Amino acid sequence: MCGIIGYIGGRRACEVIVKGLKRLEYRGYDSAGVVTGDGEGLHIRKGAGRIDPLVSELGLLNMPGNRGIGHTRWATHGVPNEINAHPHTDCSGKIALVHNGIIENYLELREELRKKGHTFKSDTDTEVIAHLIEEELKSSRNFEDAMRRALLRLKGSFALGIVYAGEPDRLYFVRNESPLVLGLGTGENFAASDVPAFLEYTRKAVFLDDGEYAVLTRESYTVKKLKTGEKVEKPVQEIDWTLDMAEKSGYPHFMLKEIYEQPRAIKDAIHGNSDLIPAVAEEIAKYSKVFFVAMGTSYHAALVGKYLFQRLAGKIALVEEASEFRYEAENILDGDSLVIAITQSGETADTLAAMKLAKRKGAKVMAIVNVVGSMATRVADITLYTHAGPEIGVAATKTYTTQLTVLTMLAMELARKLGRMREEELKTLEDEFMNVPQLVESVLSHAGGLEELAESLKDQRDFFYIGRGINVPTALEGALKLKEISYIHAEGLSAGELKHGPLALLEEGVPVVAITPSGRLFDKMVSNIEESKARGAMVVALSDSDELRETADVLVEMPPVNEALTPIVYVVPLQILAYHLAVLRGNDPDKPRNLAKSVTVE
Ligand code: BG6
């Protein structure tokens, strides 16, 4: 996700815009740019890097004009550099715009426009939009009409800020699946991705809905439907958040905000990868030796990937912690090996080292990454992005479920290519997969009881998380989340392992969290729950089956979901439980002690 801020009024637009961009940096910070307009036309300055250094490097505060739009970028298409930074313009330079979201059909539109003589400067999906409006302008009555017709051809998510040199008295802002809100002043008006950008000037806000656009002038705003151009009446809301709360969209911590962003992030991971998966799955199918390497939460995603490859596609994959692989794998790597690195930051030293070892040994290297342009994307031969947006909380949440989303897409396509699943079975699974964002949404909306559960467990000193099959990694991830932010000791393990040692640790009241979806392993899990209870354990079961209401001490009700999709859905309550326990124990979940968001040293 990126940050957009627009202004039109009596002040110098660049001053308002630079301040607003600083307030929005948590939405993305790999590059930034500003366009302002005055009687002479449009002025654009942009570059790679964070806002602060760019202000002096580019002289952002010396830009003329009292209308303008700024953008701080979280790259999705095109590495973070000056050319790919927003704003982007059409051939004439009279149309400039900034974008937050993902245009799915940009490649075909770019091809069509190239054939009509348009030349492109950047690798971004965004630039296509400016040229599309320019093309429509040739046959439209006015700019607004051309803009509407162009935007109706876009597929995907887009919040846009658009300025046209031929209309010095207005700005346009469009919302479709990415947030945009208007700020209403006196003799001035604002628009932004989020309210922090203009909160110091006004608390009057109008939230746009999907498929709407606003025409902003100094004195007025008009909201219209993109499809029809008809006016829409919108309520004006009074924002009563503090600035700090506003940066977290009203959530007390970034981690909780990022947990609740998961339905949107999973949708973006699907949008951003659907066209790429077939070719990448084709590539994976060629290799007889497949290795996943990763660290931390990403390592747990890799374990889920292994289960998915094996169960859906019959594809064997080894999983190694990168910190081990980098010292132990040199004699098993060769030209017939594929190493798939999973790393949200793309900068984890151990993972990068494992990737470089693989390259030296002639293996093919793939990466599943969240940060566009990070080192891992430069080492890898093939990169798939998770499109989760910036994850500010140190403990991974939405980057984990989007990693699982990409891995599930790959496994399903591999199953198709290797003929390991009947087409109708695969189709059913794919339909259920497309419903995962809604399933996560429903888990989030029924998470109320978890805070109370956390309250009852906050003085416990040892937790056990147990699961079977594809949910062994879910148990490991649940335990890691708890350790990372609440500092309570927790152990994740396969439920079958309990009787081979860990059972000796169970005594009265020790919490055992059992990931127990109905299905072929359900009965096995029930017996593990019973053997835990026989030792006095306090069992919290996550399940879609009512059968556990008597057996478990607490039942966290889950929606029915295909076994292959349970890791994405079942991790969400574990994230929330860990979050509440951390807060109840007086910790800051966003900045847990001793840890870092990305460990770039060994
Ligand atoms: C840790 C983070 O430092 O690194 C974890 O706190 C993360 O959240 C792990 O899972 C691996 O990071 P990455 O960027 O390689 O996925």
Side-chain angles (χ1 to χ4, degrees), residues 295-298 343-346 348 394-396 484 596-599:
M295 297 303 287
T297 294
S298 299
T343 166
Q344 87 81 17
S345 64
T348 297
V394 164
E484 279 179 306
K597 185 60 191 163
S598 170
V599 178

Side-chain angles (χ1 to χ4, degrees), residues 16 158 186 195 204 267 273 303 340 380 430 505-506 542 544 593:
V16 176
F158 47 94
T186 309
V195 296
K204 292 189 180 333
K267 271 186 204 150
N273 286 291
L303 287 170
I340 305 175
E430 284 173 338
L505 293 171
L506 295 193
L542 279 63
D544 55 312
R593 68 186 182 198

Side-chain angles (χ1 to χ4, degrees), residues 411-429:
M412 292 190 293
E413 192 57 34
L414 256 181
R416 172 172 285 114
K417 291 206 182 310
L418 299 174
R420 301 299 294 238
M421 281 177 79
R422 294 192 320 279
E423 193 50 36
E424 64 275 11
E425 200 187 354
L426 202 47
K427 191 79 191 67
T428 308
L429 178 55

